[in-house]
Amino acid sequence: MLSLSRGCRARRRHRPCPLLLLSALLWAPALVAFNLDEEKLTVYSGPPGSYFGYSVDFYIPDPSTVSVLVGAPKANTTQPDIVEGGAVYYCAWPATRCRQIPFDNTNNRKIKVNGTREPIEFKTNQWFGATVKAHKEKVVACAPLYHWRTLKDSPEKDPVGTCYVAIQNFSAYAEYSPCRNSNADPEGQGFCQAGFSLDFYKNGDLIVGGPGSFYWQGQVITASIVDIIANYSFKDILRKLAREKQTGVAPPSYDDNYMGKLISMSVSNMFYVLSVVFYFQMASYFGYTVAVSDVNNDGLDDILVGAPLFMEREFESKPKEVGQVYLYLQESAFLFQDAQILTGTEVFGRFGSAITHLGDLNQDGYNDIAIGAPFAGEDRRGKVLIYNGYSNGLNTNPSQVLNGAWASQSMPSGFGFTLRGDSDVDKNDYPDLIVGAFGAGKAVVYRARPVVTVTAQLILNPMIVNPDNKTCLLPGSQLLVACFTVRVCADFEGQSISDGIVLKSELQLDSLKQKGAVKRILFFDYHQSHHYFSIVIERQKQLHCQDFLVYLRVTILAYN
Ligand SMILES: [Ca+2]
Ligand SMILES: [Ca+2]
Ligand SMILES: [Ca+2]
């Protein structure tokens, strides 16, 4: 049976009587419930201090299997002599146990220089698992603070970053470090920090962000997973892939300019760089997060950009750091409207630290969005705000706010620092959401509940009541009264709802009469003007009706 907490949409059709106004209240779940279930959670935990939950993703190697990947960039591993190298955990669903994925079991590789062996790389504190992304059965995770010695005679430590790829259900692994090459130092790719950001194209090719290349101009590198795996050798530390593409160096005016900038790419086989399109407030961290989703359902992808350190200034008052998210609706190919702006409400809440596409959570045809404010809320527990799409963008008020469960201690829990949506873990055809809380070492899976759409109507028989046509004899009296039938009908529908529902209903007669005024119509059986009842509907789209006999009260009636 359906509980009232299920679902989120309801329609009602009323047919008012020409003489008397009736109303039926179906206790629409929209009034009491939200789409994401905050009670039946799955909470995964990692080792204390490991920053478990810093990155999260769904792992869907085939349509029947969904599990969760969680990065813990300060976790210890079995790698000999490596301290806090970082790890990625595989967490089956619905079980709550996780295990480390053995991307790399090795110590630092060494070379012989002048007869002595010295490390050529430095995996301690490399932040492996700061990013993790999956595409079907392929998984990539990166260590953006991985350093290597460079090829110079005098040893150096350049933070080039590195990534590891796993395929075939974690049966084969390969390393990919595109900035580990002879183009060293800050002016080259020595400070690249490859894997600081990470994604896949729809075709399964990899996109790696390296923000530190070319004096922090940053660069984007793409490669095919097939190429990364092919002929991979652990000993081959310098390796250039034939079909790899890298964005190059720009003029020095683009060096480290601190202004927000956004470079977006189409998710296709082609490699577009849309150029620097938007500039915003100094140091607002505009572009800290970017998400793509078609929120207004016009078939064109729209872009969301987070600026979690945005300062709001009101008149002469002190600026307040509240964070903002900008939604750019795409009007035609690569032409965007002015931004719709969502502003955080809590100072230092870091609204916009994470943004994720959720899919259509409430099944109204428009994609929905989750935005993290990881330092917001009581005791800085963190919040995640759900915004519903509609024909003109996003509703400015969140439809639901998820609150973190872990109070800030030595550090905030960071609930909402990472988000991942638009995958269905429990196979109920509704998309679910993972929220990371790395400060508390947690990752939480929220499942979306099915949506029930209810259609209800009132039908009067006869449609026009003649007060002089007194045909009903009131029980226990000799009085004849004018009477008629009120029929209440309802049906429901919804994806993945196989069982019946119970609608708790209230029927009010003469409902527009002011409170306390004498009602002109009463139920024949109860002599009251309102009645609570349940409508049991066993199947979808099956109209269920209930009849109630009512009568017109006679003014001089001495009936109590
Ligand atoms: Ca759109
Ligand atoms: Ca929606
Ligand atoms: Ca689901």
Side-chain angles (χ1 to χ4, degrees), residues 293-303 327-331 391:
S293 176
D294 178 12
V295 297
N296 58 350
N297 194 26
D298 61 357
L300 295 167
D301 280 342
D302 310 308
I303 297 181
L327 166 65
Y328 298 92
L329 295 175
Q330 189 174 181
E331 282 182 334
S391 55

Side-chain angles (χ1 to χ4, degrees), residues 522-532 548-549 551 559:
L522 300 173
F523 285 98
F524 197 82
D525 291 336
Y526 316 110
H527 308 297
Q528 299 284 336
S529 62
H530 64 269
H531 179 52
Y532 297 98
F548 298 92
L549 190 62
Y551 67 94
Y559 197 93

Side-chain angles (χ1 to χ4, degrees), residues 159-176:
V160 288
T162 191
C163 301
Y164 281 82
V165 175
I167 57 163
Q168 295 162 1
N169 204 19
F170 306 108
S171 61
Y173 297 91
E175 191 203 10
Y176 177 55

